[in-house]
Amino acid sequence: MTEIATFQIGASEVNELIMVINDYSGYDFSDYSMPSIKRRFQRYIDINKISDFAQLLQDLMNDSSMVNNLIEEITVNVTEVFRDPCFFAAIRSDLVPQLNKLPVIKIWHAGCSTGEEVYSMAILLKEHDLLHKSIIYATDINQTVLDIAKSAKYSIESFKETEFNYRESEGTGKLADYYTVSNGEILMNEDLKSKIIFSTHNLVSDSAFNHFDLIICRNVLIYFNKSLQDKVLQMFYNSLTENGILAIGSKETLLFSPIDSKMQVVNAKWKIWKKKE
Ligand SMILES: C[S@@+](CC[C@H](N)C(=O)[O-])C[C@H]1O[C@@H](n2cnc3c(N)ncnc32)[C@H](O)[C@@H]1O
C-alpha cells in the first residue's frame, strides 16, 4: 500500500493557521516561537495524514472541535511529578528560609498543565510545615489539562519514575504518603488539593490578577517569541511582592529582558530570581 505524502508546512501556512485559530477561538498564537509552532502544526498534519492544506483550512472553518484539537496540539502539556528534582531541592535550600518568615505565602504556577508540578510544590510546602499558610493559584490556557489537574487523579503508569524524582528533590518522607490508589488510579491527598485553586488564565491576553511571593512559570516561555516573553516577564514582575521570587525553566532566561536589571539571582542553575529591594 502506498503511503499518502503529507503536506509540508511553510511560514505562510503557519500564519494562515494562526489567523483561522484566532478568528474561530479568539486565541492569539501570533507571538509564539515560529520554529516551535511550525513543528507542532506539522506534527498535527502528519498524525492526521493531511495532504491538502486548502481542505484543512476548510475543515477547520466548518468544525470548531478541529480548531480545539489544533490548539491542544500547540500547547505542549508535557510535565511530571518533581520534574527536574534538583529545582525542588534548590527551593528547599534557597527559598524555604525566606518563605518561612511570611505570615501567608501566595504562589502562582503559570502554565501548570495537568498539575503534577503544583502537587509537587504542595508536598514540598507540607514537608517544611508551610502548606497550612500557603495559597497556591495554578493557571493554564488549556481547560482539558486543568480538568485533569483539578481531579487530582493520575494513572499509575505516569507515577512510575516519580519516587526517584521525589528522593532526588531531597524529599523527607515517602511520595506514596501523599496519595492513595483507588480503582487503579492515583488520587492526590485532599489536604494538598484543598490549598490549590486551578483556573484558566491566558498569558498572552489576560492581565495580572494578584500579588505573589513566588511565581513559578517553567517550560512555558520557551514556546513564546522574544517580545511575548518580555511582555509576560514584565507582568510577572508587576505581580511580585517586595522581595518576591520568580522561577522559570532551566532552558529559559531573564537575561536581556526588561526586568533583568531589577532582579537579583538566587540560583543561576535553576533560574531562580528575586525582586531587588
Ligand atoms: C510544557 S507545559 C509546562 C508544565 C509545567 N510548568 C512543567 O514545567 O512541568 C507548558 C504549559 O503551558 C501552557 N501554556 C501555553 N501557552 C499558554 C498561555 N498563553 N497561557 C497560559 N498557559 C499557556 C500549556 O497549555 C502547557 O500546559
Side-chain angles (χ1 to χ4, degrees), residues 79-86 88 92 114-121 123 127 153-181 186-188:
T79 187
E80 66 182 8
V81 173
F82 286 97
R83 180 182 193 174
D84 299 325
C86 298
F88 288 93
R92 290 183 200 272
T114 39
E116 287 88 333
E117 176 186 77
V118 193
Y119 289 107
S120 307
M121 188 65 194
I123 290 169
E127 291 185 343
K153 286 184 188 156
Y154 299 101
S155 69
I156 293 176
E157 181 68 22
S158 73
F159 263 53
K160 263 196 172 148
E161 308 295 327
T162 54
E163 189 69 51
F164 172 80
N165 278 7
Y166 170 71
R167 276 199 310 275
E168 289 284 291
S169 83
E170 292 171 18
T172 56
K174 275 207 324 265
L175 187 61
D177 292 339
Y178 299 102
Y179 61 81
T180 50
V181 179
I186 302 268
L187 178 60
M188 303 310 293

Side-chain angles (χ1 to χ4, degrees), residues 29 31-39 221-225:
F29 290 101
D31 278 329
Y32 277 51
S33 137
M34 177 54 99
S36 151
I37 203 163
K38 187 168 169 236
R39 264 197 313 276
L221 297 175
I222 201 170
Y223 299 107
F224 298 169
N225 70 16

Side-chain angles (χ1 to χ4, degrees), residues 32 75-80 83 111-113 117 140-142 145 201-204 218-220 223-224:
Y32 277 51
T75 55
V76 181
N77 303 126
V78 178
T79 187
E80 66 182 8
R83 180 182 193 174
C112 65
S113 189
E117 176 186 77
D140 202 283
I141 191 177
N142 180 334
V145 292
H201 181 278
N202 183 350
L203 291 166
V204 174
R218 298 192 307 150
N219 307 304
V220 180
Y223 299 107
F224 298 169

Side-chain angles (χ1 to χ4, degrees), residues 3-268:
E3 277 279 303
I4 303 169
T6 59
F7 183 80
Q8 291 304 302
I9 197 163
S12 69
E13 287 88 7
V14 169
N15 290 329
E16 275 188 84
L17 285 174
I18 288 173
M19 249 160 43
V20 171
I21 292 177
N22 199 348
D23 286 350
Y24 286 81
S25 73
Y27 287 127
D28 180 5
F29 290 101
S30 54
D31 278 329
Y32 277 51
S33 137
M34 177 54 99
S36 151
I37 203 163
K38 187 168 169 236
R39 264 197 313 276
R40 302 307 294 184
F41 282 146
Q42 188 64 55
R43 187 167 182 272
Y44 180 90
I45 285 170
D46 292 345
I47 288 172
N48 293 287
K49 301 192 177 6
I50 293 165
S51 56
D52 182 345
F53 185 69
Q55 186 63 49
L56 170 63
L57 290 182
Q58 198 61 49
D59 292 347
L60 286 168
M61 288 177 211
N62 291 332
D63 182 356
S64 62
S65 71
M66 267 185 76
V67 176
N68 289 338
N69 291 344
L70 196 51
I71 293 173
E72 304 243 325
E73 185 60 50
I74 304 169
T75 55
V76 181
N77 303 126
V78 178
T79 187
E80 66 182 8
V81 173
F82 286 97
R83 180 182 193 174
D84 299 325
C86 298
F87 165 76
F88 288 93
I91 293 199
R92 290 183 200 272
S93 60
D94 300 349
L95 300 188
V96 163
Q98 176 179 335
L99 297 177
N100 208 5
K101 292 185 195 138
L102 299 171
V104 177
I105 308 168
K106 281 197 269 168
I107 301 174
W108 178 16
H109 284 262
C112 65
S113 189
T114 39
E116 287 88 333
E117 176 186 77
V118 193
Y119 289 107
S120 307
M121 188 65 194
I123 290 169
L124 183 156
L125 291 166
K126 189 171 164 71
E127 291 185 343
H128 293 275
D129 198 23
L130 298 173
L131 185 62
H132 66 281
K133 59 171 180 171
S134 300
I135 309 171
I136 309 173
Y137 296 85
T139 61
D140 202 283
I141 191 177
N142 180 334
Q143 188 57 51
T144 309
V145 292
L146 282 171
D147 288 342
I148 295 171
K150 273 185 209 166
S151 76
K153 286 184 188 156
Y154 299 101
S155 69
I156 293 176
E157 181 68 22
S158 73
F159 263 53
K160 263 196 172 148
E161 308 295 327
T162 54
E163 189 69 51
F164 172 80
N165 278 7
Y166 170 71
R167 276 199 310 275
E168 289 284 291
S169 83
E170 292 171 18
T172 56
K174 275 207 324 265
L175 187 61
D177 292 339
Y178 299 102
Y179 61 81
T180 50
V181 179
S182 149
N183 297 326
E185 273 183 320
I186 302 268
L187 178 60
M188 303 310 293
N189 288 355
E190 185 57 36
D191 60 342
L192 307 175
K193 198 179 163 194
S194 68
K195 299 304 251 176
I196 309 169
I197 300 161
F198 288 104
S199 60
T200 46
H201 181 278
N202 183 350
L203 291 166
V204 174
S205 53
D206 294 335
S207 41
F209 58 96
N210 208 328
H211 280 98
F212 299 95
D213 304 296
L214 171 59
I215 298 177
I216 298 179
C217 182
R218 298 192 307 150
N219 307 304
V220 180
L221 297 175
I222 201 170
Y223 299 107
F224 298 169
N225 70 16
K226 172 83 171 94
S227 89
L228 182 55
Q229 286 179 11
D230 286 353
K231 182 182 136 190
V232 171
L233 286 171
Q234 186 63 55
M235 173 170 61
F236 288 156
Y237 181 82
N238 297 341
S239 308
L240 285 173
T241 52
E242 221 175 291
N243 291 324
I245 295 149
L246 174 61
I248 57 177
S250 59
K251 295 185 206 78
E252 297 159 332
T253 184
L254 291 195
L255 295 180
F256 313 112
S257 81
I259 69 168
D260 182 10
S261 60
K262 298 184 273 187
M263 303 288 286
Q264 78 187 59
V265 174
V266 175
N267 188 310

